[in-house]
């Protein structure tokens, strides 16, 4: 039997040993020399030296447990290494510049919205706040009310000038405030995203504070309201007035008559709508909101009891003639219902006889055209909202269903597939059938079309029928976009009709404050005519003002004296603001479904509690 010799060759085991002692000694000496002359691995050493003595393990006593020193060192080392790595990572995170996620740049509608709201700052009357942000405007008309000894209202400071002159007309001003409030109620998130929610609420409150001064807002019953401050006599007489004198509002020093009204259902109902809608905007300010609601109730009671048109037989018929007060009854009652939850207002708004007088059941060329004069279509959209989301049923369902169907029909008439309204070659819908100053009607339609589209989307309804054809809600939004895009510059003239938006916009706006320089010179009535008749651009930019608009041939004359092209108005800009906020931002951010119903009680009685548990 042979084993392997670690030094090479065979190693004979248990063989007969024939060598002598001397030979074995000599061989042993040879073995030792070989062993010393080369490095041995552990296996070889174990063969030569036998098993080595193992070292005793060392332990660490931690008090509660005893662990191996080796394990202890590894554990502590790992903890220290982890701490160093974590500290290093933290240092990198702290020192390396952060790449923050930036919001996308604002769209054109948002940019235009911010400018359109600035127009209201330029139209403010009274003692202006420091944050008004229109450098060329200052406090004005601080004697309103006091300068007319015949009126019982001595403090009429504040509010808004209507257009290019310095007259304060309560009728269109109230409509403008209602439109602004409606847009805030429906789209607060979009105003917030545009960083304009505080601003628009400040604009609304400036107006409602003034309206509360124009009647006895603390009383339950009144017999008069203020319809107008200032006068615009167009007869050309020598007496100074707000039409004859072309001066800055800050330089007004002539008396401003106050026009009171004792029989004005349309005006009082519109003022009631303004205060009622604003009460929802300011619902978190309970004291102010209740003050607005009380004023709205008082005004609407007066409107119902003292029947008459506010513009009948007076100067207002020249500028803002009201054709009826029945539409204001439906409009004002609808807003008072939302503001109070009192079903008596809903019953009135859905009375077939009132709807008939308002024109709900007959057509006519202006049917479905929403404006400061005709509120019917706006009221129908507003009440369609009630049917879509609360469905009150009997006894309101019949007229609500009619209003809803009529709303759908008018929406169909806005689409290019139908011929209810003509369009200019550039694509602008002619809601006023080619008459001057078309844009104020277009922006109102764009707002209602977008709003109705969002109503349907919120109700999980993909579209609606126009006769046998079904149309997606997207076509309503597309209609609104094409019209607003036209106003913002996508038209044959490549002109923006909103001052300050884009590079090409009207420079000679029909506006006293913007056209007379702020040069510390006080011009008299005729002295300001040189600025009125000048062909030079206005020295002050009336940022955000939407002018009256082009003619039916897409033509536009940037001439200061031609107000049919170049004059802006409160009502027109309010509709523009509403349309812009509805179209702005993310399309997925729709309406606020619930805020408008805050004061509306449950439509059906609360079910009784379940019976007590049976006990044997």
């Amino acid at each position: 039997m042979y084993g392997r010799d670690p030094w090479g060759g065979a190693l004979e085991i248990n063989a007969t040993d024939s060598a002598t002692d001397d030979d074995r000694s000599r061989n042993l000496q040879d073995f030792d020399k070989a062993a010393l002359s080369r490095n041995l691995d552990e296996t070889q050493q174990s063969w030569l030296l036998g098993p080595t003595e193992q070292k005793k393990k060392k332990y660490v006593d931690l008090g509660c447990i005893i662990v191996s020193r080796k394990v202890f060192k590894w554990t502590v080392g790992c903890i220290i290494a982890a701490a160093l790595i974590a500290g290093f990572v933290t240092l990198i995170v702290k020192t390396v510049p952060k790449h923050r996620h930036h919001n996308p740049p604002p769209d054109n509608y948002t940019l235009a919205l911010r400018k359109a709201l600035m127009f209201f700052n330029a139209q403010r009357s009274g003692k202006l706040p420091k944050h008004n942000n229109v450098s060329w405007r200052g406090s004005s008309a601080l004697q309103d009310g006091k300068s007319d000894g015949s009126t019982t209202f001595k403090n009429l400071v504040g509010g808004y000038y209507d257009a290019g002159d310095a007259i304060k007309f309560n009728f269109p001003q109230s409509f403008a405030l209602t439109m602004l409030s409606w847009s805030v109620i429906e789209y607060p998130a979009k105003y917030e995203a545009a960083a304009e929610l505080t601003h628009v609420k400040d604009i609304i409150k400036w107006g409602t504070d003034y309206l509360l001064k124009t009647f006895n807002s603390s009383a339950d019953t009144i017999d008069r309201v203020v319809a107008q401050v200032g006068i615009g006599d167009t007869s050309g007489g020598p007496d100074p007035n707000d039409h004859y004198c072309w001066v800055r509002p800050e330089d007004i020093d002539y008396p401003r008559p106050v026009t009171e009204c004792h029989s004005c259902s349309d005006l009082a109902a519109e003022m009631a709508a303004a205060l009622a809608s604003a009460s929802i905007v300011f619902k978190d300010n309970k004291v102010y909101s209740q003050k607005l609601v009380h004023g709205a109730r008082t005004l609407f009671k007066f409107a119902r009891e003292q029947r008459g048109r506010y513009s009948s037989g007076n100067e207002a018929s020249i500028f803002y003639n009201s054709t009826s007060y029945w539409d204001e009854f439906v409009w004002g009652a609808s807003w008072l219902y939302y503001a109070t939850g009192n079903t008596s207002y809903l019953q009135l708004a859905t009375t077939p006889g009132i709807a008939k007088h308002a024109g709900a059941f007959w057509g006519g060329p202006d049917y479905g055209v929403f404006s400061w004069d005709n509120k019917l279509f706006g009221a129908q959209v507003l009440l369609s909202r009630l049917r879509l989301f609360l469905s009150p049923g009997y006894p309101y369902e019949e007229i609500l269903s009619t209003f809803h169907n009529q709303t759908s029909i008018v929406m169909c008439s806005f689409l290019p597939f139908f011929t209810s309204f003509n369009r200019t070659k550039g694509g602008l819908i002619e809601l006023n059938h080619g008459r001057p100053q078309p844009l104020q009607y277009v922006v109102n339609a764009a707002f209602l079309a977008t709003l109705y589209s969002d109503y349907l989307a919120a109700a999980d309804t993909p579209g609606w029928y126009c006769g046998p054809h079904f149309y997606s809600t997207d076509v309503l939004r597309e209609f609104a976009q094409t019209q607003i895009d036209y106003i913002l510059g996508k038209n044959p003239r490549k002109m923006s009709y909103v001052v300050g938006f884009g590079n090409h916009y009207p420079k000679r706006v029909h506006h006293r404050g913007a056209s007379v320089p702020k040069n510390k010179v006080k011009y008299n009535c005729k002295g300001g005519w040189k600025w009125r008749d000048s062909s030079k651009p206005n020295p002050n930019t009336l940022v955000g003002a939407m002018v009256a608009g082009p003619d039916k041939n897409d033509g536009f004359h940037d001439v200061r004296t031609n107000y049919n092209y170049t004059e802006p108005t409160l009502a027109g800009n309010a509709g523009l603001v509403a349309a812009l906020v509805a179209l702005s931002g993310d399309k997925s951010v729709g309406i606020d479904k619930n805020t408008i119903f805050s004061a509306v009680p449950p439509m059906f009685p609360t079910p009784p509690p379940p019976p007590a548990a049976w006990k044997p």
Side-chain angles (χ1 to χ4, degrees):
M1 182 175 178
Y2 296 91
R4 179 167 177 82
D5 182 359
W7 292 274
L11 177 64
E12 184 179 354
I13 302 175
N14 295 331
T16 303
D17 190 0
S18 60
T20 62
D21 292 340
D22 292 337
D23 293 333
R24 284 195 294 272
S25 298
R26 188 166 48 254
N27 291 338
L28 183 59
Q29 291 176 3
D30 293 339
F31 170 80
D32 290 339
K33 289 179 180 179
L36 295 174
S37 64
R38 61 188 297 177
N39 295 327
L40 306 180
D41 59 26
E42 290 182 359
T43 303
Q44 292 168 339
Q45 290 181 16
S46 66
W47 288 350
L48 295 176
L49 303 177
T52 57
E53 183 178 355
Q54 294 183 353
K55 295 181 180 180
K56 295 181 179 180
K57 292 183 178 180
K58 296 182 180 180
Y59 300 92
V60 177
D61 188 353
L62 298 178
C64 56
I65 58 173
I66 298 175
V67 298
S68 166
R69 181 179 296 276
K70 186 175 182 181
V71 173
F72 177 76
K73 288 181 177 179
W74 271 100
T75 303
V76 173
C78 289
I79 292 173
I80 294 173
L84 291 174
I85 293 172
F88 183 67
V89 171
T90 302
L91 181 64
I92 292 175
V93 171
K94 293 286 186 182
T95 55
V96 173
K98 296 180 180 179
H99 296 282
R100 296 179 180 176
H101 177 72
H102 296 285
N103 292 327
D107 53 78
N108 281 344
Y109 304 127
T110 301
L111 294 173
L113 169 67
R114 293 169 179 167
K115 293 182 181 296
L117 287 169
M118 287 296 295
F119 171 73
F120 292 90
N121 293 45
Q123 295 301 104
R124 286 186 178 185
S125 178
K127 181 68 175 178
L128 298 190
K130 294 181 180 179
H131 61 274
N132 197 50
N133 296 332
V134 180
S135 61
W136 47 272
R137 279 301 324 277
S139 299
S140 61
L142 301 181
Q143 299 300 313
D144 279 357
K146 298 177 183 178
S147 63
D148 187 346
S150 64
T151 182
T152 58
F153 302 96
K154 296 303 180 184
N155 181 11
L156 294 175
V157 176
Y160 292 96
Y161 300 124
D162 172 67
D165 50 32
I167 304 175
K168 296 189 292 194
F169 290 105
N170 276 14
F171 192 54
Q173 180 174 182
S174 298
F175 174 73
L177 294 174
T178 309
M179 288 293 287
L180 292 177
S181 293
W182 193 4
S183 70
V184 172
I185 293 166
E186 301 286 11
Y187 298 107
K190 291 194 172 186
Y191 273 113
E192 190 71 52
E196 291 290 345
L197 183 59
T198 300
H199 185 196
V200 70
K201 290 174 74 173
D202 184 48
I203 290 170
I204 294 169
K205 191 173 185 299
W206 186 270
T208 53
D209 284 349
Y210 170 72
L211 289 185
L212 290 171
K213 297 178 180 181
T214 61
F215 68 102
N216 187 357
S217 59
S218 62
D220 295 330
T221 302
I222 58 175
D223 64 354
R224 70 190 67 192
V225 298
V226 172
Q228 176 181 332
V229 178
I231 190 169
D233 183 10
T234 58
S235 63
D239 295 333
N241 63 67
D242 293 293
H243 185 86
Y244 181 76
C245 298
W246 193 270
V247 297
R248 298 176 67 243
E250 293 79 2
D251 294 336
I252 291 175
D253 57 3
Y254 47 82
R256 285 162 57 81
V258 176
T259 303
E260 292 183 0
C261 181
H262 299 267
S263 178
C264 40
S265 300
D266 37 18
L267 171 61
E270 181 55 67
M271 291 171 64
L275 297 186
S277 57
S279 74
I280 303 173
V281 172
F282 297 106
K283 67 183 181 64
D284 293 334
N285 184 344
K286 292 184 178 179
V287 174
Y288 189 65
S289 181
Q290 287 302 314
K291 187 176 183 180
L292 294 172
V293 169
H294 181 270
R297 287 178 181 272
T298 300
L299 284 165
F300 199 74
K301 180 182 177 183
F302 170 69
R304 294 284 294 158
E305 293 176 349
Q306 303 295 327
R307 301 291 180 89
R309 291 188 302 115
Y310 94 103
S311 58
S312 179
N314 59 40
E315 185 190 61
S317 61
I318 302 173
F319 301 99
Y320 289 100
N321 184 48
S322 175
T323 54
S324 167
Y325 52 73
W326 296 101
D327 55 311
E328 277 83 18
F329 280 168
V330 182
W331 177 244
S334 300
W335 278 114
L336 271 164
Y337 171 66
Y338 284 128
T340 65
N342 188 329
T343 55
S344 65
Y345 293 115
L346 181 59
Q347 290 171 357
L348 192 149
T350 55
T351 299
I354 294 178
K356 179 181 178 181
H357 285 302
F361 306 117
W362 56 275
D366 295 325
Y367 180 77
V369 179
F370 183 44
S371 70
W372 54 263
D373 180 30
N374 188 357
K375 320 300 180 356
L376 176 64
F377 183 48
Q380 289 176 323
V381 174
L382 193 60
L383 291 173
S384 295
R385 186 194 217 282
L386 179 67
R387 183 171 187 262
L388 280 168
F389 297 119
L390 294 188
S391 187
Y394 180 84
Y396 315 109
E397 172 59 20
E398 182 177 356
I399 194 69
L400 288 180
S401 175
T402 299
F403 282 170
H404 193 175
N405 290 336
Q406 290 173 338
T407 297
S408 298
I409 292 170
V410 174
M411 292 296 170
C412 295
S413 72
F414 292 159
L415 303 183
F417 318 111
F418 301 91
T419 58
S420 301
F421 299 101
N422 293 328
R423 280 171 165 74
T424 67
K425 290 184 178 180
L428 185 71
I429 190 170
E430 295 182 59
L431 294 171
N432 65 336
H433 305 286
R435 296 190 293 268
Q437 307 173 23
L439 296 188
Q440 58 180 314
Y441 308 100
V442 173
V443 292
N444 289 342
F447 169 62
L448 293 184
T450 308
L451 183 61
Y452 190 63
S453 172
D454 287 341
Y455 282 174
L456 294 179
D460 295 323
T461 304
W464 85 111
Y465 279 95
C466 294
H469 302 288
F470 183 83
Y471 291 97
S472 165
T473 55
D474 290 338
V475 299
L476 282 177
R477 182 173 289 269
E478 290 169 4
F479 158 74
Q481 288 175 334
T482 57
Q483 299 305 303
I484 299 300
D485 288 347
Y486 181 104
I487 294 171
L488 296 182
K490 196 173 182 181
N491 54 63
R493 297 183 63 87
K494 308 299 181 185
M495 169 175 276
S496 165
Y497 294 110
V498 177
V499 177
F501 184 85
N503 298 320
H504 184 38
Y505 52 82
K507 301 294 195 302
R508 299 162 186 85
V509 180
H510 183 92
H511 193 274
R512 287 159 174 74
S515 63
V516 179
K518 185 181 179 181
N519 56 6
K520 298 182 180 180
V521 176
K522 184 176 181 179
Y523 300 93
N524 59 27
C525 288
K526 284 190 175 182
W529 288 5
K530 68 176 183 179
W531 303 110
R532 179 194 65 187
D533 301 332
S534 171
S535 61
K536 294 181 180 179
N538 288 348
N540 307 310
T541 303
L542 189 61
V543 174
M546 183 185 74
V547 296
D551 56 33
K552 60 183 179 181
N553 299 314
D554 297 306
F556 182 80
H557 300 290
D558 190 6
V559 178
R560 190 176 295 108
T561 53
N562 196 333
Y563 56 85
N564 280 331
Y565 288 102
T566 59
E567 186 171 23
T569 64
L570 284 178
N573 253 73
L576 173 66
V577 166
L580 287 171
V581 74
L583 291 171
S584 69
D586 190 348
K587 178 183 175 182
S588 64
V589 180
I591 60 166
D592 181 334
K593 290 177 62 174
N594 300 317
T595 295
I596 199 170
F597 300 127
S598 298
V600 176
M603 285 291 171
F604 306 100
T606 305
W614 180 80
K615 293 182 180 180

